Amino acid sequence: MALALLAAPATPVGAAAGTDTHIEGRLPSGAAYLIDVPADWNGTVLLFSHGYTPAGSPNPAQNAPGTAAKELLLNEGYALIGSSYATTGWAVTDAVPDQLATLDVFTSRFGKARRTIAWGSSYGGLVTTAIAERHPGRIDGSLPMCGLVHGGVANWNNTLDPVFALKTLLAPDSGIALTSFPDRTAAATAADAMTNVVSTAQQTGQGRARIALAAALHNIPVWNDASQPRPGLTDWDTQQANQYRALSGLVQLPAFVWRQEAESRAGGSMSWNTGVDYSAMLRRSTTYKEVTALYKKAGLSLRNDLAALNRAPRIAADPAAVDWMSRTSAFTGKLRKPELSIHTTGDALVPVQVESAYHRAATAAGSAPLLRQAYVDTPGHCTFSAGEQLAALHALEDRITSGRWGDTGPLALNTRARAADPAGQPRYIRYTPAPYPRPYDLAHPADRP
């Protein structure tokens, strides 16, 4: 592949005819960007938003969800672009302008694309949806994949619920802080303390039942990693063991350390559980039956534990922090261009129920006809195959071209996936996610604390 490599944002020059073009550079913000344009560019540019990068971690520019998808897309003639974002962590206020600036760099060199599609994985799905709602004139459609389409406020509230249950039921006198961390060290200390609480509790039947209750409040699926055994419908012990692994990961980073970084941007705690009825939340959980079975097996009273949760001192949010998170990271549901959102059913980090939250917002905003959602039956976060990703992209393109949705059911998407990547085994299924436990969007102002 012939490369035209630019290490700085120099004035663009036209690509030589018949060659592939690779460009690396930096935006005025300091973010790196990456552009790949095949010699036989088909006129469509894909603006890829990458996932969450923890503070202090390497932060390279990315313009595709993975090597396999990138190779297939370039072979099909797509131009691929994306940035690193100027900062790491909960960087939405940098990510959106940096992504749009990368699109500007592309346009200045190659001219306006015939079609522009925003897409992204995980946290990049939040960035993608923010672009779709707030800058619809810059794109023709959007494709969030395993995205935080429920928005930032709902995400941090739902991350609070399981650790609140763990502290209340397993370590009520521990003094472990759950929000309002003064610095990263304090958050890491709290994470270590809660990790010890959870690992100790896992050694007893009563502790395992309470861990299952905490996992249910986050809707952690009972099969959430490909290395795990897929449990039977009533194999409660294996289900809980699988959830324990995921919950331990949630405690170690997102619930404490990543929260502290987001709080530092918001200027305080953006989460609350005042007014939350945990009994009602559990009844809506997809793993309610597992929890009741494990409580019975352990000889514990679920009613008493739920009563303890509901009478425990609650956590209030900082109104200014909620306002910041709402303005930067919550959604209205108002779409002006078509969006196809895809999700794996076994996602523990960003549970599939987030799709219900965005569907709720889009329906309230009158945008439901522009939204389609599809589901891949596999464990893990963002564990799509390249063919599954391209199938969704092609279905969205057909909607953009024709002005109406074609067949986005599992049979049609699996057929598209096989055509895009004959070596793959596509896994789209017909699926309806349960309601999201604590939705929050700008289309429902009554949800404010």
Side-chain angles (χ1 to χ4, degrees):
M1 178 180 288
L3 301 181
L5 179 62
L6 305 183
T11 302
V13 295
T19 64
D20 300 329
T21 304
H22 176 79
I23 302 173
E24 298 178 22
R26 288 207 174 269
L27 301 170
S29 69
Y33 66 80
L34 183 61
I35 296 174
D36 285 291
V37 183
D40 55 348
W41 178 36
N42 63 17
T44 295
V45 60
L46 305 180
L47 176 62
F48 180 74
S49 297
H50 69 73
Y52 184 87
T53 301
S57 298
N59 188 31
Q62 299 176 48
N63 64 358
T67 302
K70 183 171 185 173
E71 183 175 325
L72 291 172
L73 290 165
L74 290 174
N75 287 340
E76 291 191 7
Y78 292 95
L80 309 179
I81 68 175
S83 77
S84 63
Y85 321 149
T87 59
T88 52
W90 195 265
V92 64
T93 54
D94 295 314
V96 172
D98 285 341
Q99 288 293 84
L100 296 178
T102 300
L103 183 57
D104 290 337
V105 171
F106 175 86
T107 303
S108 71
R109 173 156 187 152
F110 298 97
K112 183 175 175 58
R114 177 176 58 87
R115 175 179 294 157
T116 300
I117 294 174
W119 68 327
S121 299
S122 189
Y123 180 80
L126 181 144
V127 176
T128 295
T129 302
I131 292 171
E133 286 199 0
R134 296 164 191 170
H135 303 278
R138 302 298 304 274
I139 64 172
D140 297 288
S142 54
L143 175 57
M145 301 179 291
C146 54
L148 284 76
V149 294
H150 54 328
V153 177
N155 174 75
W156 292 113
N157 275 345
N158 195 222
T159 304
L160 173 64
D161 293 321
V163 292
F164 179 80
L166 292 171
K167 178 181 177 181
T168 301
L169 300 178
L170 297 175
D173 301 320
S174 64
I176 299 173
L178 302 181
T179 64
S180 303
F181 302 105
D183 52 39
R184 180 185 174 91
T185 299
T189 298
D192 289 343
M194 187 63 79
T195 296
N196 290 335
V197 167
V198 174
S199 62
T200 300
Q202 183 66 11
Q203 306 310 309
T204 69
Q206 291 186 343
R208 290 191 291 273
R210 286 169 168 152
I211 289 170
L213 169 56
L217 298 178
H218 195 267
N219 269 333
I220 291 177
V222 298
W223 186 45
N224 55 73
D225 189 293
S227 67
Q228 297 172 340
R230 186 168 194 169
L233 291 176
T234 59
D235 185 357
W236 313 121
D237 291 333
T238 302
Q239 291 180 17
Q240 192 278 339
N242 291 350
Q243 289 175 311
Y244 164 69
R245 286 177 54 187
L247 186 65
S248 296
L250 183 75
V251 166
Q252 288 165 5
L253 285 173
F256 292 94
V257 176
W258 295 0
R259 172 183 290 282
Q260 184 275 328
E261 194 279 336
E263 288 183 344
S264 71
R265 291 178 181 268
S269 174
M270 56 282 177
S271 298
W272 70 92
N273 64 356
T274 51
V276 173
D277 182 344
Y278 284 109
S279 297
M281 186 182 295
L282 177 63
R283 287 194 297 271
R284 294 192 296 269
S285 172
T286 56
T287 60
Y288 174 71
K289 290 183 178 179
E290 174 213 356
V291 173
T292 57
L294 288 173
Y295 263 78
K296 182 177 180 180
K297 180 178 179 180
L300 276 177
S301 169
L302 179 57
R303 177 179 296 180
N304 288 348
D305 272 4
L306 289 171
L309 279 180
N310 281 335
R311 66 171 177 264
R314 295 311 176 92
I315 295 172
D318 181 331
V322 176
D323 285 343
W324 184 90
M325 192 63 69
S326 296
R327 285 185 285 105
T328 63
S329 310
F331 297 126
T332 64
K334 295 178 182 177
L335 293 169
R336 296 292 179 266
K337 303 292 174 60
E339 178 166 294
L340 174 58
S341 183
I342 63 173
H343 221 103
T344 55
T345 58
D347 192 336
L349 184 62
V350 185
V352 66
Q353 289 79 20
V354 304
E355 300 293 341
S356 295
Y358 195 69
H359 187 272
R360 167 186 185 257
T363 300
S367 300
L370 287 170
L371 177 66
R372 288 291 183 275
Q373 295 165 308
Y375 303 96
V376 173
D377 185 31
T378 190
H381 179 54
C382 301
T383 49
F384 307 106
S385 69
E388 288 160 351
Q389 292 166 333
L390 266 67
L393 173 66
H394 294 157
L396 175 62
E397 285 188 291
D398 282 355
R399 169 61 179 81
I400 295 169
T401 299
S402 69
R404 61 182 182 274
W405 288 106
D407 188 351
T408 56
L411 180 61
L413 289 173
N414 286 332
T415 298
R416 288 181 183 272
R418 291 188 193 94
D421 183 13
Q425 296 293 326
R427 301 155 295 179
Y428 280 101
I429 62 166
R430 194 166 302 281
Y431 183 82
T432 301
Y436 188 73
R438 291 184 64 188
Y440 178 97
D441 56 70
L442 301 181
H444 296 83
D447 287 342
R448 295 186 67 82

PDB file of all heavy atoms in Angstrom, residues 310-333:
ATOM      1  N   ASN A 310     -33.756   0.087  51.142  1.00  0.00           N
ATOM      2  CA  ASN A 310     -34.675   1.216  50.962  1.00  0.00           C
ATOM      3  C   ASN A 310     -34.685   2.178  52.139  1.00  0.00           C
ATOM      4  O   ASN A 310     -35.114   3.324  51.987  1.00  0.00           O
ATOM      5  CB  ASN A 310     -36.082   0.706  50.668  1.00  0.00           C
ATOM      6  CG  ASN A 310     -36.240   0.266  49.225  1.00  0.00           C
ATOM      7  OD1 ASN A 310     -35.512   0.725  48.345  1.00  0.00           O
ATOM      8  ND2 ASN A 310     -37.181  -0.628  48.968  1.00  0.00           N
ATOM      9  N   ARG A 311     -34.209   1.748  53.315  1.00  0.00           N
ATOM     10  CA  ARG A 311     -34.177   2.680  54.442  1.00  0.00           C
ATOM     11  C   ARG A 311     -32.761   3.204  54.726  1.00  0.00           C
ATOM     12  O   ARG A 311     -32.567   4.046  55.593  1.00  0.00           O
ATOM     13  CB  ARG A 311     -34.733   2.019  55.704  1.00  0.00           C
ATOM     14  CG  ARG A 311     -33.922   0.872  56.267  1.00  0.00           C
ATOM     15  CD  ARG A 311     -34.444   0.427  57.638  1.00  0.00           C
ATOM     16  NE  ARG A 311     -33.701  -0.709  58.134  1.00  0.00           N
ATOM     17  CZ  ARG A 311     -34.088  -1.979  58.003  1.00  0.00           C
ATOM     18  NH1 ARG A 311     -35.233  -2.268  57.405  1.00  0.00           N
ATOM     19  NH2 ARG A 311     -33.335  -2.951  58.476  1.00  0.00           N
ATOM     20  N   ALA A 312     -31.777   2.707  53.991  1.00  0.00           N
ATOM     21  CA  ALA A 312     -30.407   3.164  54.198  1.00  0.00           C
ATOM     22  C   ALA A 312     -30.286   4.635  53.798  1.00  0.00           C
ATOM     23  O   ALA A 312     -30.981   5.101  52.891  1.00  0.00           O
ATOM     24  CB  ALA A 312     -29.445   2.321  53.367  1.00  0.00           C
ATOM     25  N   PRO A 313     -29.419   5.393  54.466  1.00  0.00           N
ATOM     26  CA  PRO A 313     -29.203   6.802  54.092  1.00  0.00           C
ATOM     27  C   PRO A 313     -28.836   6.911  52.620  1.00  0.00           C
ATOM     28  O   PRO A 313     -27.993   6.167  52.115  1.00  0.00           O
ATOM     29  CB  PRO A 313     -28.051   7.232  54.996  1.00  0.00           C
ATOM     30  CG  PRO A 313     -28.119   6.302  56.166  1.00  0.00           C
ATOM     31  CD  PRO A 313     -28.592   4.991  55.620  1.00  0.00           C
ATOM     32  N   ARG A 314     -29.482   7.842  51.945  1.00  0.00           N
ATOM     33  CA  ARG A 314     -29.312   7.968  50.502  1.00  0.00           C
ATOM     34  C   ARG A 314     -28.208   8.953  50.142  1.00  0.00           C
ATOM     35  O   ARG A 314     -27.737   9.743  50.968  1.00  0.00           O
ATOM     36  CB  ARG A 314     -30.634   8.370  49.849  1.00  0.00           C
ATOM     37  CG  ARG A 314     -31.735   7.313  49.984  1.00  0.00           C
ATOM     38  CD  ARG A 314     -31.214   5.926  49.569  1.00  0.00           C
ATOM     39  NE  ARG A 314     -32.169   4.872  49.761  1.00  0.00           N
ATOM     40  CZ  ARG A 314     -33.019   4.465  48.823  1.00  0.00           C
ATOM     41  NH1 ARG A 314     -33.029   5.049  47.651  1.00  0.00           N
ATOM     42  NH2 ARG A 314     -33.841   3.483  49.077  1.00  0.00           N
ATOM     43  N   ILE A 315     -27.842   8.934  48.882  1.00  0.00           N
ATOM     44  CA  ILE A 315     -26.794   9.798  48.339  1.00  0.00           C
ATOM     45  C   ILE A 315     -27.456  10.827  47.434  1.00  0.00           C
ATOM     46  O   ILE A 315     -28.185  10.470  46.501  1.00  0.00           O
ATOM     47  CB  ILE A 315     -25.767   8.972  47.563  1.00  0.00           C
ATOM     48  CG1 ILE A 315     -25.034   8.032  48.527  1.00  0.00           C
ATOM     49  CG2 ILE A 315     -24.784   9.875  46.819  1.00  0.00           C
ATOM     50  CD1 ILE A 315     -24.143   7.029  47.840  1.00  0.00           C
ATOM     51  N   ALA A 316     -27.209  12.087  47.705  1.00  0.00           N
ATOM     52  CA  ALA A 316     -27.757  13.171  46.890  1.00  0.00           C
ATOM     53  C   ALA A 316     -26.693  13.659  45.907  1.00  0.00           C
ATOM     54  O   ALA A 316     -25.487  13.572  46.166  1.00  0.00           O
ATOM     55  CB  ALA A 316     -28.225  14.323  47.780  1.00  0.00           C
ATOM     56  N   ALA A 317     -27.150  14.166  44.788  1.00  0.00           N
ATOM     57  CA  ALA A 317     -26.241  14.684  43.769  1.00  0.00           C
ATOM     58  C   ALA A 317     -25.954  16.162  43.993  1.00  0.00           C
ATOM     59  O   ALA A 317     -26.711  16.869  44.653  1.00  0.00           O
ATOM     60  CB  ALA A 317     -26.843  14.478  42.386  1.00  0.00           C
ATOM     61  N   ASP A 318     -24.860  16.618  43.411  1.00  0.00           N
ATOM     62  CA  ASP A 318     -24.556  18.039  43.333  1.00  0.00           C
ATOM     63  C   ASP A 318     -25.310  18.590  42.119  1.00  0.00           C
ATOM     64  O   ASP A 318     -25.031  18.186  40.983  1.00  0.00           O
ATOM     65  CB  ASP A 318     -23.050  18.223  43.161  1.00  0.00           C
ATOM     66  CG  ASP A 318     -22.627  19.677  43.082  1.00  0.00           C
ATOM     67  OD1 ASP A 318     -23.429  20.511  42.619  1.00  0.00           O
ATOM     68  OD2 ASP A 318     -21.483  19.980  43.468  1.00  0.00           O
ATOM     69  N   PRO A 319     -26.273  19.499  42.318  1.00  0.00           N
ATOM     70  CA  PRO A 319     -27.076  19.973  41.182  1.00  0.00           C
ATOM     71  C   PRO A 319     -26.242  20.532  40.033  1.00  0.00           C
ATOM     72  O   PRO A 319     -26.561  20.304  38.861  1.00  0.00           O
ATOM     73  CB  PRO A 319     -27.970  21.047  41.806  1.00  0.00           C
ATOM     74  CG  PRO A 319     -28.078  20.664  43.247  1.00  0.00           C
ATOM     75  CD  PRO A 319     -26.738  20.079  43.601  1.00  0.00           C
ATOM     76  N   ALA A 320     -25.173  21.240  40.344  1.00  0.00           N
ATOM     77  CA  ALA A 320     -24.340  21.797  39.281  1.00  0.00           C
ATOM     78  C   ALA A 320     -23.662  20.695  38.474  1.00  0.00           C
ATOM     79  O   ALA A 320     -23.510  20.802  37.248  1.00  0.00           O
ATOM     80  CB  ALA A 320     -23.297  22.738  39.874  1.00  0.00           C
ATOM     81  N   ALA A 321     -23.259  19.624  39.155  1.00  0.00           N
ATOM     82  CA  ALA A 321     -22.632  18.508  38.452  1.00  0.00           C
ATOM     83  C   ALA A 321     -23.636  17.781  37.569  1.00  0.00           C
ATOM     84  O   ALA A 321     -23.316  17.365  36.450  1.00  0.00           O
ATOM     85  CB  ALA A 321     -22.008  17.544  39.459  1.00  0.00           C
ATOM     86  N   VAL A 322     -24.867  17.627  38.070  1.00  0.00           N
ATOM     87  CA  VAL A 322     -25.913  17.020  37.241  1.00  0.00           C
ATOM     88  C   VAL A 322     -26.167  17.881  36.013  1.00  0.00           C
ATOM     89  O   VAL A 322     -26.317  17.369  34.890  1.00  0.00           O
ATOM     90  CB  VAL A 322     -27.211  16.831  38.047  1.00  0.00           C
ATOM     91  CG1 VAL A 322     -28.322  16.295  37.147  1.00  0.00           C
ATOM     92  CG2 VAL A 322     -26.987  15.878  39.210  1.00  0.00           C
ATOM     93  N   ASP A 323     -26.195  19.187  36.190  1.00  0.00           N
ATOM     94  CA  ASP A 323     -26.416  20.088  35.053  1.00  0.00           C
ATOM     95  C   ASP A 323     -25.308  19.926  34.018  1.00  0.00           C
ATOM     96  O   ASP A 323     -25.571  19.862  32.809  1.00  0.00           O
ATOM     97  CB  ASP A 323     -26.483  21.535  35.529  1.00  0.00           C
ATOM     98  CG  ASP A 323     -27.796  21.863  36.222  1.00  0.00           C
ATOM     99  OD1 ASP A 323     -28.763  21.092  36.050  1.00  0.00           O
ATOM    100  OD2 ASP A 323     -27.853  22.884  36.926  1.00  0.00           O
ATOM    101  N   TRP A 324     -24.048  19.859  34.483  1.00  0.00           N
ATOM    102  CA  TRP A 324     -22.937  19.709  33.533  1.00  0.00           C
ATOM    103  C   TRP A 324     -23.049  18.391  32.777  1.00  0.00           C
ATOM    104  O   TRP A 324     -22.895  18.348  31.554  1.00  0.00           O
ATOM    105  CB  TRP A 324     -21.607  19.757  34.282  1.00  0.00           C
ATOM    106  CG  TRP A 324     -20.418  19.700  33.367  1.00  0.00           C
ATOM    107  CD1 TRP A 324     -19.768  20.746  32.790  1.00  0.00           C
ATOM    108  CD2 TRP A 324     -19.759  18.510  32.886  1.00  0.00           C
ATOM    109  NE1 TRP A 324     -18.739  20.295  31.998  1.00  0.00           N
ATOM    110  CE2 TRP A 324     -18.707  18.920  32.033  1.00  0.00           C
ATOM    111  CE3 TRP A 324     -19.941  17.143  33.106  1.00  0.00           C
ATOM    112  CZ2 TRP A 324     -17.856  18.018  31.397  1.00  0.00           C
ATOM    113  CZ3 TRP A 324     -19.097  16.244  32.454  1.00  0.00           C
ATOM    114  CH2 TRP A 324     -18.068  16.678  31.614  1.00  0.00           C
ATOM    115  N   MET A 325     -23.314  17.305  33.512  1.00  0.00           N
ATOM    116  CA  MET A 325     -23.414  16.000  32.859  1.00  0.00           C
ATOM    117  C   MET A 325     -24.610  15.952  31.914  1.00  0.00           C
ATOM    118  O   MET A 325     -24.546  15.341  30.841  1.00  0.00           O
ATOM    119  CB  MET A 325     -23.503  14.893  33.912  1.00  0.00           C
ATOM    120  CG  MET A 325     -23.333  13.483  33.376  1.00  0.00           C
ATOM    121  SD  MET A 325     -21.728  13.100  32.615  1.00  0.00           S
ATOM    122  CE  MET A 325     -20.625  13.127  34.030  1.00  0.00           C
ATOM    123  N   SER A 326     -25.694  16.615  32.289  1.00  0.00           N
ATOM    124  CA  SER A 326     -26.872  16.651  31.417  1.00  0.00           C
ATOM    125  C   SER A 326     -26.567  17.408  30.127  1.00  0.00           C
ATOM    126  O   SER A 326     -26.917  16.970  29.027  1.00  0.00           O
ATOM    127  CB  SER A 326     -28.041  17.319  32.141  1.00  0.00           C
ATOM    128  OG  SER A 326     -28.451  16.576  33.260  1.00  0.00           O
ATOM    129  N   ARG A 327     -25.928  18.560  30.260  1.00  0.00           N
ATOM    130  CA  ARG A 327     -25.640  19.385  29.089  1.00  0.00           C
ATOM    131  C   ARG A 327     -24.648  18.727  28.140  1.00  0.00           C
ATOM    132  O   ARG A 327     -24.755  18.866  26.920  1.00  0.00           O
ATOM    133  CB  ARG A 327     -25.098  20.749  29.522  1.00  0.00           C
ATOM    134  CG  ARG A 327     -26.148  21.691  30.085  1.00  0.00           C
ATOM    135  CD  ARG A 327     -25.572  23.070  30.379  1.00  0.00           C
ATOM    136  NE  ARG A 327     -24.751  23.081  31.583  1.00  0.00           N
ATOM    137  CZ  ARG A 327     -23.427  23.129  31.591  1.00  0.00           C
ATOM    138  NH1 ARG A 327     -22.761  23.163  30.432  1.00  0.00           N
ATOM    139  NH2 ARG A 327     -22.743  23.146  32.733  1.00  0.00           N
ATOM    140  N   THR A 328     -23.702  18.003  28.684  1.00  0.00           N
ATOM    141  CA  THR A 328     -22.638  17.447  27.852  1.00  0.00           C
ATOM    142  C   THR A 328     -22.883  16.008  27.424  1.00  0.00           C
ATOM    143  O   THR A 328     -22.393  15.590  26.364  1.00  0.00           O
ATOM    144  CB  THR A 328     -21.293  17.493  28.600  1.00  0.00           C
ATOM    145  OG1 THR A 328     -21.370  16.668  29.774  1.00  0.00           O
ATOM    146  CG2 THR A 328     -20.955  18.924  29.002  1.00  0.00           C
ATOM    147  N   SER A 329     -23.627  15.245  28.242  1.00  0.00           N
ATOM    148  CA  SER A 329     -23.608  13.789  28.070  1.00  0.00           C
ATOM    149  C   SER A 329     -24.961  13.117  28.173  1.00  0.00           C
ATOM    150  O   SER A 329     -25.020  11.881  28.231  1.00  0.00           O
ATOM    151  CB  SER A 329     -22.666  13.174  29.125  1.00  0.00           C
ATOM    152  OG  SER A 329     -21.418  13.809  29.157  1.00  0.00           O
ATOM    153  N   ALA A 330     -26.051  13.864  28.235  1.00  0.00           N
ATOM    154  CA  ALA A 330     -27.398  13.271  28.209  1.00  0.00           C
ATOM    155  C   ALA A 330     -28.032  13.583  26.863  1.00  0.00           C
ATOM    156  O   ALA A 330     -27.617  14.519  26.167  1.00  0.00           O
ATOM    157  CB  ALA A 330     -28.250  13.806  29.352  1.00  0.00           C
ATOM    158  N   PHE A 331     -29.049  12.822  26.507  1.00  0.00           N
ATOM    159  CA  PHE A 331     -29.613  12.926  25.163  1.00  0.00           C
ATOM    160  C   PHE A 331     -31.071  13.351  25.177  1.00  0.00           C
ATOM    161  O   PHE A 331     -31.814  13.066  26.119  1.00  0.00           O
ATOM    162  CB  PHE A 331     -29.453  11.594  24.421  1.00  0.00           C
ATOM    163  CG  PHE A 331     -28.018  11.214  24.215  1.00  0.00           C
ATOM    164  CD1 PHE A 331     -27.536   9.985  24.625  1.00  0.00           C
ATOM    165  CD2 PHE A 331     -27.137  12.101  23.636  1.00  0.00           C
ATOM    166  CE1 PHE A 331     -26.208   9.635  24.451  1.00  0.00           C
ATOM    167  CE2 PHE A 331     -25.802  11.780  23.453  1.00  0.00           C
ATOM    168  CZ  PHE A 331     -25.339  10.537  23.864  1.00  0.00           C
ATOM    169  N   THR A 332     -31.455  14.002  24.107  1.00  0.00           N
ATOM    170  CA  THR A 332     -32.842  14.438  23.926  1.00  0.00           C
ATOM    171  C   THR A 332     -33.683  13.374  23.240  1.00  0.00           C
ATOM    172  O   THR A 332     -34.905  13.392  23.345  1.00  0.00           O
ATOM    173  CB  THR A 332     -32.904  15.699  23.059  1.00  0.00           C
ATOM    174  OG1 THR A 332     -32.414  15.379  21.734  1.00  0.00           O
ATOM    175  CG2 THR A 332     -32.048  16.821  23.644  1.00  0.00           C
ATOM    176  N   GLY A 333     -33.032  12.476  22.486  1.00  0.00           N
ATOM    177  CA  GLY A 333     -33.762  11.537  21.647  1.00  0.00           C
ATOM    178  C   GLY A 333     -34.156  12.120  20.301  1.00  0.00           C
ATOM    179  O   GLY A 333     -34.738  11.421  19.472  1.00  0.00           O
TER     180      GLY A 333
END
